């Protein structure tokens, strides 16, 4: 049986990128698939019936059909709601409604990851867009910069970042700076202090980590959940592969935990468990050097003493021989 072909992606929006006097018509496609994540439905625990969210009018207390649902804006903290039609939104004097104007080019590392939002693939929307599309992509790759601009998507203006990726352009929606909450009350008033040898041990642990594997990027939670569901439908116990249990409880000896972690990481990769972290190797080398120096000094002293004793014996023998010669004469 031939594998099913994936449905072609449909653009969620169309607009133009303004790069100085260069205009690039593009189509935006969702880069992420929310349906691939684990999701649950709400049920009535007494009988398993679905609990649905029904669109009900607060004034008439009746269910509203989808074609009668529109947008409204609530100014201030009052109860007043102002209806807004599609025509009202289309009439907004926003240059970003149909165009993403690049305002600056910055290093990608300058973007706070907290601002990162949904991602979109950008494809060309006309044959004439092919050359300027490639031009912008290659210029950003060579200059190692990303573009920042503003665009109105789904009735809202948002910051956006454009960057090259694997031969294409990708747009990342960014949160506004005022949408990032301050860290008030997050950090303790008194910071914990760590010793230099503890930092060295933590660095040795970081060095012991390997590259990410395909198994690391696998959604094991979803797989296990599907096994539980299959077991319930088949009226059997779920079957899970035996896994290594993670130690629980509070770590009291930080250094011991770091060193044990290094050994465990090396064991998992089949490396020599006797190999010690950088700090341990340094200490052992120092001790070895001291022991070698002590042995060398001791051997040198013994040789010197032996030479002196030999010299004394030779001098005494010469004197005895000299006296014997004079007596014979």
């Amino acid at each position: 049986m031939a594998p099913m072909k994936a449905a072609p992606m449909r653009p969620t929006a169309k607009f133009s990128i303004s790069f100085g006097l260069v205009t690039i018509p593009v189509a935006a496609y969702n880069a992420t698939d929310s349906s691939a994540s684990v999701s649950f439905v709400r049920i009535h625990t007494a009988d398993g019936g679905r609990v649905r969210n029904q669109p009900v009018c607060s004034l008439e207390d009746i269910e509203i059909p989808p074609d009668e649902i529109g947008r409204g804006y609530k100014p201030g903290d009052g109860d007043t709601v102002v209806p807004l039609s599609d025509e009202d939104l289309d009439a907004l004097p926003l240059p970003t409604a149909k165009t993403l104007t690049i305002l600056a080019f910055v290093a990608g590392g300058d973007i706070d990851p907290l601002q990162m939002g949904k991602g979109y693939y950008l494809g060309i929307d006309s044959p004439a867009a092919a050359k300027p599309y490639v031009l912008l992509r290659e210029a950003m790759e060579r200059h190692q910069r990303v573009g920042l601009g503003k665009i109105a998507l789904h009735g809202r203006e948002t910051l956006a970042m454009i960057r090259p990726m694997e031969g294409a352009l990708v747009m990342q929606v960014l949160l506004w700076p005022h949408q990032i909450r301050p860290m008030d009350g997050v950090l303790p008033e008194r910071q914990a202090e760590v010793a230099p040898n503890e930092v060295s041990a933590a660095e040795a642990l970081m060095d012991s980590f390997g590259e990410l594997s395909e198994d690391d990027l696998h959604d094991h939670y979803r797989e296990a959940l599907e096994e539980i569901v299959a077991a319930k439908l088949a009226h059997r116990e779920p079957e899970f592969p035996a896994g290594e249990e993670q130690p629980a409880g509070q770590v009291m000896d930080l250094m011991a935990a770091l060193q044990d972690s290094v050994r465990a990481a090396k064991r998992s990769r089949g490396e020599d468990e006797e190999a010690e972290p950088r700090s341990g190797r340094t200490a052992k080398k120092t001790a070895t050097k001291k022991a070698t120096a002590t042995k060398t000094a001791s051997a040198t002293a013994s040789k010197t003493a032996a030479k002196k004793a030999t010299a004394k014996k030779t001098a005494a023998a010469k004197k005895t021989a000299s006296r014997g010669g004079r007596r014979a004469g």
Side-chain angles (χ1 to χ4, degrees):
M1 182 176 178
M4 294 181 62
K5 291 184 178 180
M9 289 195 293
R10 295 181 179 179
T12 60
K14 292 186 177 183
F15 52 88
S16 294
I17 299 173
S18 176
F19 172 40
L21 298 178
V22 178
T23 300
I24 311 171
V26 296
Y29 303 83
N30 286 330
T32 55
D33 183 8
S34 58
S35 64
S37 61
V38 172
S39 60
F40 301 97
V41 296
R42 297 191 303 168
I43 63 169
H44 184 197
T45 56
D47 55 20
R50 290 281 299 275
V51 177
R52 302 182 183 277
N53 293 323
Q54 304 290 352
V56 176
C57 176
S58 61
L59 299 179
E60 300 177 306
D61 197 25
I62 58 173
E63 187 175 346
I64 306 300
D67 59 350
E68 292 185 17
I69 298 177
R71 297 186 186 91
Y73 186 79
K74 187 178 177 182
D77 298 329
D79 296 330
T80 303
V81 176
V82 179
L84 292 172
S85 64
D86 292 339
E87 290 75 17
D88 293 329
L89 297 179
D90 290 339
L92 289 173
L94 286 178
T96 58
K98 298 294 181 181
T99 304
L100 191 158
T101 302
I102 297 180
L103 304 174
F105 289 93
V106 301
D110 293 343
I111 308 298
D112 188 344
L114 286 174
Q115 289 185 259
M116 297 289 186
K118 191 172 182 180
Y120 297 86
Y121 298 131
L122 299 181
I124 59 172
D125 195 35
S126 72
K131 189 169 183 177
Y133 181 97
V134 173
L135 174 66
L136 177 59
R137 184 198 69 208
E138 292 193 1
M140 284 196 290
E141 285 179 346
R142 290 179 59 179
H143 205 51
Q144 296 184 348
R145 291 290 187 270
V146 298
L148 291 182
K150 294 191 292 185
I151 184 69
L153 289 176
H154 313 302
R156 296 180 182 179
E157 188 176 60
T158 180
L159 284 173
M161 173 184 72
I162 295 180
R163 61 186 175 91
M165 189 186 80
E166 298 180 4
L169 289 176
V170 174
M171 182 179 72
Q172 204 90 30
V173 171
L174 301 178
L175 297 177
W176 296 99
H178 70 266
Q179 292 179 293
I180 305 299
R181 301 177 64 183
M183 288 192 293
D184 298 341
V186 174
L187 296 175
E189 294 182 2
R190 183 178 179 182
Q191 295 289 330
E193 295 182 359
V194 294
N197 64 328
E198 292 174 330
V199 177
S200 298
E203 290 174 344
L205 176 58
M206 292 170 63
D207 291 338
S208 70
F209 278 63
E211 298 292 331
L212 283 174
S213 66
E214 290 186 9
D215 189 63
D216 293 327
L217 302 177
H218 190 71
D219 189 354
H220 294 285
Y221 178 80
R222 177 173 182 169
E223 211 169 61
L225 181 65
E226 290 174 347
E227 167 59 18
I228 290 178
V229 173
K232 284 182 176 291
L233 292 175
H235 305 287
R236 60 173 175 82
E237 290 295 321
E239 299 175 0
F240 301 117
E244 185 177 343
E245 293 186 3
Q246 298 294 326
Q250 185 177 5
V251 176
M252 300 303 293
D253 189 339
L254 183 57
M255 280 297 295
L258 290 170
Q259 292 167 354
D260 288 344
S261 299
V262 171
R263 285 190 286 270
K266 290 182 176 179
R267 239 188 348 260
S268 66
R269 297 198 304 273
E271 296 180 7
D272 184 9
E273 295 183 31
E274 298 300 323
E276 298 180 27
R278 189 180 303 164
S279 56
R281 292 197 302 267
T282 303
K284 181 171 281 187
K285 286 181 180 178
T286 304
T288 303
K289 286 181 180 179
K290 287 182 178 179
T292 303
T294 302
K295 288 181 180 179
T296 303
S298 177
T300 303
S302 298
K303 288 181 180 179
T304 303
K307 286 182 179 179
K308 289 182 178 179
T310 303
K312 287 181 179 180
K313 288 180 181 180
T314 304
K318 286 181 178 180
K319 286 182 179 179
T320 303
S322 177
R323 288 174 185 172
R326 286 199 297 270
R327 285 175 185 174

